[in-house]
Amino acid sequence: MTIKTRFAPSPTGFLHVGGARTALYSWLYAKHNGGQFVLRIEDTDLERSTQEAIDAIIESMKWLKLNWDEGPYYQTKRFDRYNKLIDEMLADGRAYKCYCTKERLEKLREEQMKRGEKPCYDGHCRCSQEQHSPDEPYCVRFKNPTEGTVKFHDHIRGDVEISNRELDDLVIRRTDGTPTYNFCVVVDDYDMGITHVVRGEDHVNNTPRQINIYKALNAKVPEFAHVSMILGPDGAKLSKRHGAVSVMQYRDDGFLPEALLNYLVRLGWGHGDQELFSVQEMIDLFDLDTVSKSASAFDLNKLKWMNNHYIKTLDPEYVASHLEWHMKDQKIDYSKGPALSSIVKAYAERCSTLKEMAEQCRYVYEDFTELDEAASKKWFKANTPEVLTRCLEKFAAVSEENWKAENLHPVVESVAQEMEIGMGKVGMPLRIAVTGRGQSPGIDVTMELIGKSKCMERIERVRDMLAGAN
RNA sequence: AUUCCCAUCGUCUAGAGGCCUAGGACGAAACCCUCUCAAGGUUUAAACACGGGUUCGACUCCCGUUGGGAAUGCCA
């Protein structure tokens, strides 16, 4: 049997990291088993579904490189199919028309709550003999079995069993004629040949109802895996007030898809002591049956650590292609300076995000007027003009084409030696002069990146400024 | 209220009855390295929610308590 999984988000908002993890697990399971992965948009809620959300979900999936073999399918395009089945069920009594008004249902619920009962539809129209005129509005309810229990084996949770007495007759077609989610998923998963349904934990309670529908449709029941929730750092359900929740926000904040994927796969799953997984390793090693049952808290620090790891270890050209996005985002014109891959090489170890990297390397491409105050105060001494002057003299002797870190480093060293001061007393004033900041990559590589003419200009300017002040 | 689900360091996890004096990672602390900031290296602190069973033996199995979460929609 070919394994076929799907990811079926409802387009009511952006792709949440929780949804992304579910999609990843589903995708990995299919890939691991040489199966197929389907993307389906569950847009039966006409009120809340938006094209904007559909676009955002697709963009997120593409950014994460979670490619799908089929789809995207849209439930709204399959209404005829659902309604045909519902009509058939209506005809042979697997479903029935319900004329109950909202008011009656509300009252019923209130009374049940008051009595301390679980609010459930009472089956009023299931057995009613009332006559209704053809133009009276109605919805359609599924005739759920009243006896017995529903059992299923969940790949993550194990065996789950619930009594049919807990389940009421759910609405499968609204009064306005549109079918509802619990019915559509079943029909879709059946029609599309889904063998394994991997989805969020919030669907565990719906599963028994859906299994009953599968049976009513005489369809093969797929296997299930319900993935737990993702919590914020405070243990509450992860939401916007915790910071970034949408996949695109992580892109905007400077994360690499490789890092997000690795972080997400480890959040709820492990393979011994291994922390770092390439996508191929994930595919080879991932297993639904060992996914953690409990909810897990999102730890931004660990994601940052992983992001830094991938910034350092992935091909600099590749990382640069992502950095490019942030350079544009921050409106830094990088066309007249060093290649972005050389920025990646120099800044990788000191940046946990690409957004930071873009911010930090700005002075390589643009001039600045302000110098970091704290750093200046700490490192600019009485002898600084002399230090800078000596550097300037020696740097002048280095040609443009020899303006390389390995040739610049000896200059700094020799100035320190000649003046009998530490490297820091030379390097730091230089760094501040050339970058305007108190921190940067090694002073030699930094100067190489900035280039000779700009370095000379900047050093001179600061030297003159300090000399003038004395 | 009812039903279902969950429970190992602050966080993510390893652990499928003896391998556990509970391992790793992030974070934290300390030290080393060092031209800054990082990165890197070494080290330290830090957990089996509680109570009963079962067993020669329980982090691991069972029951209960407590604490979280979800569902009970003509949302998905």
Side-chain angles (χ1 to χ4, degrees):
Chain A
M1 180 185 66
T2 306
I3 301 294
K4 203 167 178 186
T5 65
R6 45 62 158 193
F7 178 55
S10 58
T12 53
F14 302 123
L15 182 60
H16 187 276
V17 286
R21 183 178 59 158
T22 304
L24 173 64
Y25 287 2
S26 188
W27 184 84
L28 287 174
Y29 190 74
K31 294 284 158 191
H32 178 83
N33 292 290
Q36 304 254 293
F37 179 66
V38 175
L39 178 62
R40 182 173 74 226
I41 306 295
E42 308 217 321
D43 53 354
T44 51
D45 184 349
L46 275 13
E47 301 265 309
R48 301 197 304 151
S49 299
T50 65
Q51 185 58 44
E52 200 188 9
I54 293 173
D55 295 343
I57 288 165
I58 290 177
E59 192 184 4
S60 299
M61 294 291 284
K62 285 185 173 166
W63 184 73
L64 290 170
K65 302 185 196 92
L66 297 180
N67 56 308
W68 50 94
D69 302 294
E70 279 179 36
Y73 292 115
Y74 294 88
Q75 292 188 321
T76 43
K77 293 189 178 147
R78 293 172 41 79
F79 276 11
D80 289 350
R81 166 68 176 154
Y82 310 130
N83 279 323
K84 184 172 166 268
L85 282 171
I86 291 171
D87 288 338
E88 284 173 20
M89 291 169 76
L90 227 29
D92 63 19
R94 282 173 289 168
Y96 61 92
K97 296 176 180 178
C98 174
Y99 295 90
C100 292
T101 58
K102 276 218 160 86
E103 293 70 46
R104 189 186 108 77
L105 261 19
E106 244 166 63
K107 207 177 142 204
L108 178 69
R109 179 187 312 277
E110 256 174 50
E111 282 170 6
Q112 286 167 326
M113 293 281 254
K114 208 185 287 171
R115 269 182 272 139
E117 287 169 21
K118 176 174 173 168
C120 265
Y121 179 63
D122 60 357
H124 177 79
C125 294
R126 177 170 177 148
C127 39
S128 128
Q129 302 297 315
E130 293 166 18
Q131 291 301 308
H132 296 275
S133 66
D135 58 344
E136 194 174 337
Y138 65 89
C139 69
V140 177
R141 286 184 185 271
F142 172 66
K143 229 182 233 179
N144 197 79
T146 52
E147 301 289 312
T149 62
V150 184
K151 286 184 227 179
F152 67 98
H153 178 80
D154 190 288
H155 275 267
I156 296 172
R157 262 141 238 290
D159 292 319
V160 180
E161 180 174 2
I162 190 164
S163 166
N164 271 321
R165 299 169 58 100
E166 297 296 329
L167 273 22
D168 62 357
D169 292 342
L170 71 159
V171 172
I172 56 176
R173 181 159 73 200
R174 301 180 182 91
T175 307
D176 67 4
T178 56
T180 61
Y181 161 76
N182 274 304
F183 186 74
C184 300
V185 249
V186 172
V187 176
D188 285 345
D189 286 336
Y190 170 50
D191 284 350
M192 295 169 194
I194 303 301
T195 60
H196 296 256
V197 172
V198 182
R199 66 204 338 181
E201 177 185 46
D202 44 332
H203 291 282
V204 180
N205 290 281
N206 290 326
T207 306
R209 299 167 175 285
Q210 292 172 9
I211 288 175
N212 285 332
I213 297 177
Y214 275 104
K215 289 180 177 158
L217 256 23
N218 201 19
K220 185 172 188 295
V221 180
E223 294 183 35
F224 295 96
H226 289 95
V227 184
S228 62
M229 281 197 325
I230 294 184
L231 274 18
D234 58 354
K237 188 170 180 169
L238 185 68
S239 69
K240 273 174 251 94
R241 71 189 167 77
H242 292 115
V245 287
S246 92
V247 169
M248 291 336 282
Q249 188 62 50
Y250 284 93
R251 176 200 62 186
D252 297 354
D253 287 348
F255 292 92
L256 288 165
E258 287 75 6
L260 225 208
L261 253 16
N262 193 155
Y263 179 73
L264 255 17
V265 83
R266 278 289 290 112
L267 190 66
W269 176 78
H271 183 262
D273 286 343
Q274 189 170 348
E275 294 289 345
L276 272 4
F277 296 85
S278 67
V279 172
Q280 190 55 51
E281 282 178 305
M282 291 180 204
I283 291 171
D284 293 341
L285 301 168
F286 183 77
D287 183 10
L288 274 180
D289 297 79
T290 54
V291 168
S292 162
K293 288 191 256 272
S294 50
S296 31
F298 197 90
D299 180 7
L300 190 62
N301 273 325
K302 189 161 182 181
L303 206 212
K304 282 185 174 173
W305 170 76
M306 279 186 175
N307 202 46
N308 173 252
H309 169 81
Y310 285 106
I311 288 174
K312 285 186 296 189
T313 55
L314 256 20
D315 176 20
E317 296 287 344
Y318 170 75
V319 177
S321 69
H322 280 91
L323 175 62
E324 191 175 3
W325 190 94
H326 291 277
M327 297 298 275
K328 285 176 181 157
D329 192 50
Q330 292 183 36
K331 304 193 166 49
I332 302 170
D333 177 6
Y334 55 91
S335 63
K336 292 191 184 60
L340 291 181
S341 59
S342 57
I343 295 289
V344 172
K345 287 177 198 156
Y347 290 79
E349 354 185 272
R350 32 185 61 75
C351 297
S352 58
T353 70
L354 295 174
K355 188 179 181 180
E356 283 171 32
M357 192 181 282
E359 279 161 7
Q360 283 188 33
C361 75
R362 180 166 226 126
Y363 55 74
V364 172
Y365 301 97
E366 289 177 4
D367 287 328
F368 51 86
T369 49
E370 302 278 302
L371 300 182
D372 183 279
E373 215 175 300
S376 308
K377 206 172 164 189
K378 181 172 179 192
W379 293 98
F380 285 166
K381 308 283 185 203
N383 69 352
T384 301
E386 190 195 343
V387 169
L388 296 182
T389 301
R390 287 192 187 226
C391 287
L392 242 17
E393 283 165 5
K394 295 188 185 233
F395 285 144
V398 181
S399 69
E400 290 267 3
E401 66 186 43
N402 284 329
W403 194 261
K404 302 269 185 244
E406 68 258 36
N407 300 324
L408 266 16
H409 187 75
V411 173
V412 179
E413 226 168 20
S414 68
V415 171
Q417 262 171 21
E418 284 169 19
M419 295 184 67
E420 293 181 322
I421 54 178
M423 281 281 282
K425 301 240 165 69
V426 182
M428 282 312 291
L430 266 182
R431 170 172 287 113
I432 298 164
V434 128
T435 70
R437 302 186 179 204
Q439 60 259 36
S440 82
I443 187 61
D444 46 2
V445 303
T446 304
M447 289 197 299
E448 174 182 335
L449 252 16
I450 294 170
K452 183 176 176 181
S453 64
K454 274 188 181 163
C455 283
M456 298 300 278
E457 255 169 50
R458 292 175 186 179
I459 297 166
E460 215 166 319
R461 192 187 122 223
V462 170
R463 195 264 320 263
D464 293 350
M465 184 191 87
L466 291 175
N470 286 339

